[in-house]
Amino acid sequence: MEPSELKRSKDSPNSDESTRRSSFPDEVLERVLSLLKSHRDRSSVSLVCKDWYNAERWSRTHVFIGNCYSVSPEIVARRFPKIRSVTLKGKPRFSDFNLVPENWGADIHAWLVVFAAKYPFLEELRLKRMAISDESLEFLAVSFPNFKALSLLSCDGFSTNGLAAIATHCKNLTELDIQENGIDDKGGSWLSCFPESFTSLEVLNFANLSSDINFDALERLVGRCKSMRVLKLNRSVSLEQLQRLLVNAPQLAELGTGSFSEELTFRQYVELESALSNCQNMHTLYGLWDAKGIYLPALYPVCTHLTFLNLSYAALRSDELAKLLAHCPRLKRLWVLDTVEDKGLEAVGLNCPLLEELRVFPADPFDEEIIHGVTEAGFVAVSFGCPRLQYVLYFCRQMTNAAVATIVQNCPDFTHFRLCIMNPGQPDYITNEPMDEAFGAVVKTCTKLQRLSVSGRLTDLTFEYIGRYAKNLETLSVAFAGSSDWGMQCVMGGCSKLRKLEIRDCPFGNAALLSGLEKYESMRSLWMSACNVTMNGCRLLAREMPRLNVEVMKEDGSDDSQADKVYVYRSIAGPRRDAPPSVLTL
Amino acid sequence: MSTPLEHDYIGLAATSSMERSSEKISSSSSSSIPSNIEDKTTNNPSLNLKETELRLGLPGSESPERKLSLFGKDLETNDKSNGFVGSPLKNLVSGAKRGFSDAIDGSNGNWVFAINGKSDVELGKGAVLASPRGGLDNKTNPQQVRTSVPVMKEVVGVPQSPKPVQDKKNLVPPVNEHASAPAAKAQVVGWPPIRSFRKNSMASNLAKNSDEAAGCLYVKVSMDGAPYLRKVDLKTYNNYREFSSALEKMFSCFTIGQCGSNGDGLSESRLMDLLHGSEYVLTYEDKDGDWMLVGDVPWEMFTDSCRRLRIMKGSEAIGLAPRAMEKCKNQN
């Protein structure tokens, strides 16, 4: 920028509009705006005025699209010419739990075709719940010479052949992150497709896959990628192999071990412990598949600076967890299985005062005869010891209103409260009352609450509370709850910041659906399945709100008038054309 | 109470009211469910909804955890003397509403696969024992199959009469007491909300030995009439029995769900159609692309050659299950 230009802008403080506008050159504005990373800030900026809108669109390099059908790739490419990184989310979240028909859509290919034409310098692609085929992966690999980072979470439709294409062709790849996908695992040979000259990988996550990979190829790959900071192995990698990898990669910041359970000689154990203790940068630990308690002490040297420990694939007992946590004072995030039971959670409360996030997963969610797992006592114990808790996901088989009230009193800073009482519609097991007061306490006390998942026996009162108090709530998940339309009406009327609402198996009907008429355009999406909504109600909604896509998925053998599964979302791209026959767009 | 609400959404409430009106076997179990729940806290297992589940019968597929008692005797032990394997009676006693019964001939791997619609008619005819391999034709193990039928008849009494059923009503509660309230969970699709990857990892954690090689064999499983397919990892099961229980859990929701989604207007005739309707046959596509009946070959050979599975309606299983089709025709 020219000094004279600067001077000019300083000299004319009282200029009229046009001068004022030109006194702030686009280049300056773009430069300033390029420092803005948050896409919400960018959205706000783009609404200020036309110049700012333009400056923003020219300076944006990353676009986040929360619903791939809310916009078309052409529209995106037209508005943002300089995108280098794209994040796309596709299917409704309930597709993770098999509630969405196969072939529902969210295929990435159309997007890739447009990107190949408009963003040939695309570097990053992060997909969640999208369908991606091997052909698409190959197309991706050959169309973008600068491609650096691929992250696939909860996607499906591809196999390890697609990964092979990526490994073969992406010469500048820094990140390959394959997480929890429906991947067709045809074998581990894809890993050997990375050329010997390839050294740029920083993030490698293949924990999702189960086939054996060629360990020598992996060892060489890790050895030559000196910038590697995240390595998440799959179960087929043994402890002994882990040790060999760590010796060559002490710089790792995040490690996902393979299987943690073979028989080690004493010497092997010592070598493993030594290799781990050299990893001074390690702050995150995953994997630990089938972990045997006796080997956990090898982790102690790493534990002191750990901030995130994911034990959700290691069925540890309470004493094993307690011993481990005694060495993890700095822990901020902890994921465990409920095999640790309440006693294990007591150890969490005792040892991890800095804890901000806790997730407790059920080891045997479908076992009818289970009598252990965690109860309300464990959660309460954690709350006493960890006042900084913000995020909790808790699967349990019993809960009480009093316990939840105590918990939120101890931890008022919750932003994400996801409680899953696994038996649908189960009341407070001591008083036999509905769990209304529990969630009432949550929303009254936790004013920063952004995300809430409710469970247990709930009447409309819960939703009255939510509508009245949860003013910052953005995401709400409801299952087997409520007594009438009034419940949902309270939520639609009261939660002004609501963006995502997903409901299943609740007695909410057309009146409830239509009460949100004004609201759906300010939301990302609404999902209602196994409720009392009818086709007529959906048609009415579609008619009144033309900028919403109202999609109904019918189930075999159901009544013609029932709308079994409804998915409503705002879109500027109009109704989609790739819906399968089971999905009707109204 | 919580469970009745849950019943509504997976259709069991419709079931129990229907059963009361038709006085069928399963009414004994379903109608006793609410009272059991009221008696016990939800902490206590009190409900054997498993008895009302669909069953897929594969070789050796008596589910060991199901307690079975008839006339006060525990039928869990395989009574070899008459080749009776217990499971068909289990369904009879507990009143599996739309259960597949497993008349298993454990020793040689034959299995039969038929819906035990709670109708005495079907049971009386030994429909329960309809073997896709023509088990009633004396082709293989004629002894065991033949002798099971008389046992069935003994128990059932006059095939067409509901009366013997009512006697058994009294016997059902003991069975139910052993059951657990969370049984219903297994029938609800997508609940608890856990991602497939985690579910599959935990399943293989439980099922596999630590020495077992890593590796999995995912095959698609489709069921005629179900809105979507499932995938199973064959490597996580060691035999047909484990496999069959897993499939039962996975697919029971569809048939029960069909009833439930009709709201409150479940007509008796529609329910009858489901109950007396076609038996299901489990088939798979092998490496050569041929559709085969599950259960003929040893388990390891099956997992090696199976590419995908299909739970077919018996009426379609022409050539695979001639007896099954015949049974259909006889009943309808």
Side-chain angles (χ1 to χ4, degrees):
Chain A
M1 203 188 57
E2 302 292 312
S4 58
E5 281 177 346
L6 249 182
K7 196 166 188 302
R8 195 176 67 218
S9 62
K10 277 189 187 158
D11 282 348
S12 50
N14 300 321
S15 51
D16 57 47
E17 277 226 30
S18 55
T19 320
R20 232 197 344 257
R21 214 164 36 217
S22 63
S23 72
F24 203 50
D26 290 337
E27 293 84 12
V28 178
L29 193 51
E30 277 177 43
R31 192 71 213 285
V32 169
L33 293 181
S34 66
L35 300 172
L36 270 183
K37 299 297 175 206
S38 148
H39 62 274
R40 283 196 202 176
D41 286 345
R42 285 186 158 271
S43 294
S44 309
V45 158
S46 68
L47 294 172
V48 169
C49 66
K50 206 146 187 243
D51 280 353
W52 282 49
Y53 175 88
N54 280 323
E56 194 278 314
R57 60 183 272 262
W58 279 94
S59 62
R60 196 191 283 225
T61 56
H62 170 243
V63 68
F64 169 85
I65 299 163
N67 174 4
C68 63
Y69 287 118
S70 62
V71 72
S72 74
E74 291 83 5
I75 294 175
V76 173
R78 222 175 13 242
R79 178 170 170 187
F80 300 115
K82 293 235 188 121
I83 296 296
R84 292 203 302 266
S85 162
V86 176
T87 303
L88 261 171
K89 294 190 183 179
K91 301 182 197 179
R93 194 179 77 97
F94 279 170
S95 72
D96 284 349
F97 317 127
N98 298 331
L99 288 179
V100 173
E102 244 186 47
N103 306 323
W104 180 84
D107 195 300
I108 189 64
H109 201 79
W111 291 84
L112 290 178
V113 168
V114 172
F115 291 163
K118 305 288 185 184
Y119 304 142
F121 299 116
L122 189 70
E123 293 176 2
E124 298 182 0
L125 188 63
R126 296 175 200 284
L127 304 181
K128 188 169 184 181
R129 294 191 201 102
M130 301 283 298
I132 179 162
S133 65
D134 286 343
E135 288 72 32
S136 296
L137 282 170
E138 186 154 0
F139 180 76
L140 170 68
V142 303
S143 309
F144 303 99
N146 269 14
F147 195 72
K148 293 205 172 108
L150 178 65
S151 166
L152 300 175
L153 170 56
S154 241
C155 298
D156 62 4
F158 63 107
S159 78
T160 40
N161 291 344
L163 299 184
I166 299 283
T168 308
H169 298 290
C170 298
K171 306 276 182 263
N172 298 312
L173 200 68
T174 58
E175 178 174 338
L176 183 61
D177 181 13
I178 309 297
Q179 266 193 72
E180 298 193 35
N181 299 292
I183 182 173
D184 187 1
D185 192 343
K186 294 185 172 168
S189 55
W190 62 274
L191 193 104
S192 313
C193 294
F194 285 110
E196 290 298 319
S197 56
F198 174 76
T199 58
S200 50
L201 207 56
E202 295 170 23
V203 173
L204 177 62
N205 175 4
F206 62 98
N208 197 175
L209 304 170
S210 41
S211 321
D212 293 354
I213 37 98
N214 179 331
F215 181 72
D216 286 334
L218 176 64
E219 196 175 10
R220 285 197 307 275
L221 179 67
V222 172
R224 61 181 186 264
C225 294
K226 292 298 177 196
S227 309
M228 192 173 282
R229 45 185 180 82
V230 176
L231 178 62
K232 294 183 197 166
L233 307 166
N234 75 359
R235 216 167 180 164
S236 73
V237 176
S238 71
L239 274 178
E240 199 246 323
Q241 289 171 331
L242 172 66
Q243 185 266 338
R244 281 161 61 185
L245 290 173
L246 288 177
V247 159
N248 281 326
Q251 78 284 0
L252 282 178
E254 297 185 24
L255 173 67
T257 72
S259 171
F260 213 76
S261 75
E262 78 214 45
E263 298 296 321
L264 287 181
T265 66
F266 182 68
R267 209 188 70 150
Q268 284 172 320
Y269 174 87
V270 165
E271 282 175 353
L272 175 64
E273 191 182 20
S274 154
L276 281 165
S277 62
N278 280 337
C279 299
Q280 290 301 313
N281 292 336
M282 200 170 285
H283 55 71
T284 295
L285 201 52
Y286 295 85
L288 298 163
W289 306 89
D290 320 310
K292 278 201 185 137
I294 47 164
Y295 296 142
L296 293 179
L299 299 171
Y300 291 171
V302 174
C303 287
T304 24
H305 20 269
L306 269 191
T307 55
F308 181 11
L309 179 57
N310 183 344
L311 297 170
S312 62
Y313 295 102
L316 296 187
R317 295 188 317 258
S318 52
D319 54 308
E320 292 168 333
L321 178 68
K323 270 192 265 187
L324 185 58
L325 289 181
H327 297 261
C328 307
R330 302 226 180 93
L331 218 50
K332 288 197 180 156
R333 302 172 65 194
L334 176 65
W335 295 21
V336 290
L337 282 177
D338 65 358
T339 51
V340 303
E341 299 185 0
D342 290 334
K343 263 190 92 54
L345 294 181
E346 280 170 33
V348 174
L350 285 172
N351 290 296
C352 307
L354 301 179
L355 201 69
E356 295 173 3
E357 174 178 330
L358 174 68
R359 301 195 196 199
V360 181
F361 293 94
D364 280 327
F366 306 110
D367 189 327
E368 294 83 8
E369 274 136 49
I370 204 87
I371 47 173
H372 27 272
V374 293
T375 72
E376 78 282 8
F379 198 169
V380 170
V382 174
S383 74
F384 276 112
C386 309
R388 298 193 195 188
L389 266 186
Q390 293 168 17
Y391 192 121
V392 79
L393 169 62
Y394 199 81
F395 284 86
C396 58
R397 290 183 170 85
Q398 64 188 52
M399 189 49 65
T400 67
N401 289 308
V404 177
T406 307
I407 288 161
V408 294
Q409 204 172 17
N410 294 336
C411 306
D413 295 333
F414 275 119
T415 54
H416 297 67
F417 193 91
R418 304 166 62 188
L419 176 61
C420 181
I421 303 168
M422 289 194 276
N423 196 7
Q426 182 172 300
D428 178 321
Y429 81 100
I430 290 183
T431 66
N432 258 346
E433 282 171 2
M435 296 296 296
D436 295 333
E437 293 308 317
F439 292 103
V442 172
V443 295
K444 283 178 204 165
T445 318
C446 306
T447 51
K448 299 184 221 165
L449 197 69
Q450 292 169 23
R451 181 172 180 184
L452 179 64
S453 299
V454 299
S455 60
R457 173 143 165 70
L458 301 174
T459 70
D460 284 343
L461 183 56
T462 299
F463 302 102
E464 279 181 35
Y465 285 142
I466 293 175
R468 202 182 315 156
Y469 296 104
K471 293 306 178 187
N472 283 319
L473 194 66
E474 297 180 11
T475 305
L476 179 62
S477 304
V478 186
F480 305 102
S483 350
S484 72
D485 286 336
W486 173 240
M488 185 170 162
Q489 286 166 336
C490 290
V491 171
M492 297 315 299
C495 298
S496 43
K497 292 199 184 168
L498 196 63
R499 292 188 305 116
K500 288 177 281 186
L501 179 57
E502 44 185 31
I503 301 174
R504 62 166 293 180
D505 295 90
C506 295
F508 302 141
N510 292 338
L513 176 69
L514 296 169
S515 70
L517 211 64
E518 312 284 312
K519 192 125 181 62
Y520 298 130
E521 271 184 14
S522 61
M523 287 171 57
R524 183 187 294 174
S525 65
L526 166 74
W527 168 280
M528 286 178 80
S529 61
C531 296
N532 292 343
V533 176
T534 68
M535 294 296 289
N536 284 336
C538 295
R539 285 192 195 103
L540 186 58
L541 177 62
R543 204 168 40 236
E544 294 295 313
M545 306 295 294
R547 282 196 302 247
L548 293 179
N549 280 355
V550 179
E551 297 184 6
V552 176
M553 287 153 265
K554 302 271 306 157
E555 279 172 23
D556 252 1
S558 82
D559 206 313
D560 276 346
S561 63
Q562 283 303 110
D564 307 309
K565 294 178 183 168
V566 182
Y567 185 51
V568 179
Y569 57 93
R570 63 181 175 191
S571 176
I572 54 175
R576 60 184 177 115
R577 278 163 301 210
D578 61 351
S582 58
V583 177
L584 310 165
T585 306
L586 301 177
Chain B
M1 261 298 222
S2 60
T3 316
L5 186 68
E6 160 209 316
H7 282 177
D8 288 338
Y9 292 111
I10 57 177
L12 290 175
T15 300
S16 47
S17 59
M18 225 263 25
E19 286 170 333
R20 274 192 285 279
S21 61
S22 64
E23 289 184 337
K24 295 291 182 175
I25 300 170
S26 52
S27 63
S28 49
S29 68
S30 303
S31 56
S32 60
I33 290 169
S35 57
N36 276 346
I37 299 247
E38 267 134 43
D39 289 340
K40 304 178 203 275
T41 68
T42 43
N43 216 9
N44 235 331
S46 61
L47 181 60
N48 191 3
L49 290 173
K50 240 197 283 213
E51 301 298 332
T52 62
E53 282 179 15
L54 283 179
R55 306 257 154 77
L56 304 179
L58 290 176
S61 71
E62 334 159 16
S63 302
E65 68 271 20
R66 294 177 190 164
K67 299 213 164 45
L68 176 66
S69 84
L70 179 64
F71 303 118
K73 282 198 197 141
D74 193 356
L75 286 177
E76 200 51 25
T77 54
N78 207 346
D79 187 350
K80 294 283 190 238
S81 63
N82 57 5
F84 171 62
V85 187
S87 4
L89 266 189
K90 160 179 55 177
N91 287 341
L92 168 62
V93 172
S94 61
K97 184 176 189 307
R98 279 181 303 280
F100 290 101
S101 72
D102 357 310
I104 304 302
D105 184 350
S107 54
N108 76 341
N110 284 345
W111 62 277
V112 295
F113 195 100
I115 290 190
N116 176 14
K118 28 179 222 152
S119 152
D120 302 330
V121 176
E122 289 178 16
L123 291 166
K125 284 185 181 170
V128 131
L129 300 175
S131 163
R133 290 192 46 153
L136 292 175
D137 323 337
N138 305 337
K139 259 202 200 140
T140 35
N141 278 348
Q143 289 256 285
Q144 286 172 305
V145 177
R146 235 182 312 150
T147 47
S148 354
V149 177
V151 171
M152 287 289 302
K153 285 200 172 126
E154 228 167 57
V155 169
V156 175
V158 179
Q160 311 240 353
S161 149
K163 226 166 123 285
V165 174
Q166 283 170 353
D167 290 342
K168 286 170 196 55
K169 257 195 200 172
N170 303 329
L171 299 168
V172 173
V175 180
N176 285 348
E177 266 165 29
H178 293 295
S180 49
K185 282 200 299 252
Q187 303 173 8
V188 181
V189 179
W191 189 266
I194 296 168
R195 285 192 183 144
S196 313
F197 177 67
R198 178 171 292 283
K199 265 192 288 193
N200 295 334
S201 307
M202 293 333 299
S204 46
N205 255 352
L206 300 171
K208 77 183 219 170
N209 298 323
S210 50
D211 296 319
E212 214 169 317
C216 60
L217 196 55
Y218 279 102
V219 294
K220 286 186 186 174
V221 187
S222 62
M223 176 167 171
D224 291 355
Y228 43 80
L229 283 60
R230 301 298 302 271
K231 262 201 169 162
V232 290
D233 179 359
L234 292 180
K235 286 263 187 290
T236 62
Y237 313 107
N238 296 313
N239 51 44
Y240 284 113
R241 183 188 347 120
E242 284 179 28
F243 182 48
S244 119
S245 329
L247 283 184
E248 285 177 45
K249 284 183 187 172
M250 242 187 224
F251 285 91
S252 58
C253 59
F254 289 127
T255 311
I256 293 176
Q258 279 171 13
C259 269
S261 61
N262 283 336
D264 55 1
L266 185 63
S267 69
E268 183 151 330
S269 59
R270 172 138 170 79
L271 189 57
M272 281 301 132
D273 285 342
L274 283 171
L275 298 176
H276 297 284
S278 49
E279 294 144 356
Y280 284 80
V281 176
L282 184 59
T283 61
Y284 71 102
E285 185 183 19
D286 72 355
K287 285 192 182 136
D288 304 325
D290 298 320
W291 285 92
M292 319 280 290
L293 193 68
V294 171
D296 290 344
V297 300
W299 175 253
E300 284 73 22
M301 201 184 292
F302 165 68
T303 55
D304 272 341
S305 56
C306 172
R307 280 222 314 244
R308 57 188 169 127
L309 285 135
R310 180 176 161 200
I311 306 174
M312 285 174 145
K313 290 212 166 88
S315 51
E316 288 181 32
I318 301 166
L320 282 178
R323 285 317 271 208
M325 221 191 63
E326 224 176 302
K327 287 289 165 295
C328 276
K329 286 201 238 161
N330 290 340
Q331 288 145 30
N332 294 331

